[in-house]
Amino acid sequence: MFDDYIQVVSTSGQLFSTSGEGWTPPEEGILKINVDAVTQLPLQQAVVGIVMRDHDGSVFLSAALTVRGAESILHAELLAILHGLKVARDVSLTHNTVESDCLLAVNKVLKGVNSFSKWSYVTRDIFFTMKLFENCILIHTKCGSNRLADVVYKTRCLSDDHTVWWHCLTPDVCNYDVISQ
């Protein structure tokens, strides 16, 4: 089962890759899903930001979700990856690349499902959700490449809403990554 796991997570043949400072577009026909999270530890919740963009940098979807039960920053980042995948599944995507700026979370997923790990249930859910796609790659990116997902979750930090915006970013947010290219 572990060999299947590495194949699904790393169809590019790498365990992880770190992209450059700015956002880089995916290949045509693939949507890039940037995810990020912030924790509100006293409340044991996370706010997750998700931005899906195509090869032109056009926003397909952006979302902000409040997730209960986040006990640490790592847990919140793992939940961000999982919820990014679930949103992709819900909108029937088949080919995608998921980027997270949390190297520890990406490596935890890429190392496989460890039944002794505190967050093994989340990594297991990520694994099985990734198997639902024809092509799905999880990679680490530097913080500068993930700033739109960061901005999206900040719009909902104090809200219990689960909000999705189709073909746009959150209201009053400019797509700086595309403008600066």
Side-chain angles (χ1 to χ4, degrees), residues 13-151:
Q14 309 170 230
L15 285 182
F16 70 87
S17 94
T18 303
S19 64
E21 287 299 319
W23 184 83
T24 55
E27 295 177 24
E28 193 166 348
I30 294 178
L31 284 182
K32 184 174 277 189
I33 305 166
N34 290 90
V35 298
D36 206 356
V38 64
T39 56
Q40 297 168 326
L41 292 178
L43 301 175
Q44 287 200 336
Q45 70 181 22
V47 179
V48 172
I50 302 166
V51 179
M52 297 180 187
R53 293 186 277 182
D54 67 13
H55 65 282
D56 289 327
S58 298
V59 174
F60 174 74
L61 176 148
S62 64
L65 314 169
T66 301
V67 182
R68 305 241 182 265
E71 298 176 19
S72 71
I73 295 167
L74 174 60
H75 190 202
E77 294 287 352
L78 287 166
L79 290 170
I81 294 167
L82 178 61
H83 284 281
L85 289 166
K86 286 182 174 184
V87 170
R89 181 201 60 205
D90 290 347
V91 297
S92 302
L93 297 184
T94 58
H95 296 76
N96 60 64
T97 297
V98 180
E99 285 189 339
S100 169
D101 61 9
C102 183
L103 182 59
L104 184 59
V106 170
N107 282 335
K108 191 166 250 340
V109 172
L110 295 177
K111 286 181 180 175
V113 178
N114 178 350
S115 61
F116 301 109
S117 167
K118 184 173 184 176
W119 309 121
S120 62
Y121 72 95
V122 182
T123 56
R124 193 174 308 115
D125 285 352
I126 292 169
F127 166 69
F128 287 114
T129 304
M130 288 183 79
K131 285 189 76 116
L132 299 174
F133 300 97
E134 285 181 42
N135 182 11
C136 185
I137 300 169
L138 172 63
I139 62 173
H140 171 256
T141 188
K142 293 184 181 176
C143 291
S145 303
N146 222 25
R147 63 183 161 201
L148 277 181
D150 179 78
V151 169

